[in-house]
Structure formats: C-alpha cells, structure tokens
C-alpha cells in the first residue's frame, strides 16, 4: 500500500484548499480511505472517510458542512476539499487506509484509543490557516 499526499499550504481564514492522496496497492472495495490530522501538542484525530463498498462518507463534527471527501477510482486518487477554513484547522493532514469495518470507524471517531483500525499512512502534508 502506498499513500502520497499533496496540496497542503498556507491560506487565510475563510479560504479553501484541496488535498490529494495518490492511493495504490489495495482493493478499494475492501478498504476505506480517509484523512486524519494532528495539530502541535494535540492528539491525532479522524477528519473524513470514504467507503466504496458501502458508497458512504463520514466526517468529524468539527468539519461537517465545510469539508468534502471524494475519490477518482480510475486514477487511484482520493481528495479532501476544505472550504471555509479556520485557524483551528491548522495541522498536518495524513492520508490513511484501513479495512472497511468496525475497527476503521472506531479509529476515525477516537484514534488515540482505536489506532489499530488504521493499517497504512502517508507522510502527511502541512495545512496552515492564518487568522
């Protein structure tokens, strides 16, 4: 499995960024792809997830309505469109993959406790939102 993120940067509050993840080496039907983030001094947290087998996406309450996860299976790409960004969205964003199942969704909701639900990670991309 290989996950490579791109698209991070610096943006003013209220602005938008689109993160991309080149995700290869696994079956999209068996795995979920998602985004986690970690701010300085804070624990890693789940942001958004997409499941192709169930055709559904999930979002953390803090980003719901502002972020949208999507994919292009033909190009093995997953995207995170981030709109109306806030300074508290500043973090390193990681693309992640895990088997589609209860452990993945537990990790998405509480990564600190259920970290084993994530099988693979990208190296991360920095997102900085200035006020």
């Amino acid at each position: 499995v290989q996950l490579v993120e791109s698209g991070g940067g610096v943006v003013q509050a209220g602005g938008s960024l689109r993160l991309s993840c080149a995700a290869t080496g696994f079956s999209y039907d068996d795995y979920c792809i998602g985004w986690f983030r970690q701010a300085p001094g804070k624990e890693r947290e789940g942001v958004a997830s997409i499941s192709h087998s169930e055709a559904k996406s999930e979002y953390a309450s803090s980003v719901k309505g502002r972020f949208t996860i999507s994919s292009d299976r033909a190009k093995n790409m997953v995207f995170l469109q981030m709109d109306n960004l806030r300074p508290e969205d500043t973090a390193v964003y990681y693309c992640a993959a895990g088997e589609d199942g209860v452990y993945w969704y537990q990790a998405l909701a509480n990564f600190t406790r259920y970290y084993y639900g994530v099988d693979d990670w990208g190296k991360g991309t920095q997102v900085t939102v200035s006020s």
Side-chain angles (χ1 to χ4, degrees):
V1 176
Q2 188 172 21
L3 304 168
V4 180
E5 306 96 335
S6 61
V10 180
V11 65
Q12 287 190 330
S16 298
L17 280 175
R18 188 193 196 204
L19 304 183
S20 299
C21 175
T24 58
F26 61 93
S27 169
Y28 275 67
D29 290 327
D30 297 329
Y31 275 73
C32 288
I33 302 293
W35 293 90
F36 289 70
R37 67 185 182 186
Q38 187 163 17
K42 294 189 176 181
E43 296 177 340
R44 191 168 296 192
E45 62 177 357
V47 175
S49 165
I50 188 165
S51 164
H52 295 88
S53 64
E54 298 184 39
K56 70 175 183 179
S57 55
E58 299 282 342
Y59 298 93
S61 58
S62 59
V63 307
K64 196 171 292 185
R66 300 187 298 122
F67 290 12
T68 304
I69 190 169
S70 62
S71 68
D72 183 338
R73 290 186 63 170
K75 296 182 179 179
N76 291 325
M77 296 292 293
V78 176
F79 307 100
L80 185 68
Q81 177 67 40
M82 305 186 294
D83 298 318
N84 192 20
L85 282 160
R86 305 167 179 169
E88 54 263 39
D89 294 318
T90 295
V92 177
Y93 284 70
Y94 297 91
C95 184
E99 290 190 29
D100 192 343
V102 62
Y103 295 141
W104 169 263
Y105 291 105
Q106 287 178 332
L108 191 69
N110 186 340
F111 176 75
T112 300
R113 182 173 182 181
Y114 300 107
Y115 59 90
Y116 47 82
V118 179
D119 295 324
D120 297 280
W121 295 96
K123 293 183 178 180
T125 185
Q126 176 70 45
V127 171
T128 302
V129 184
S130 61
S131 57

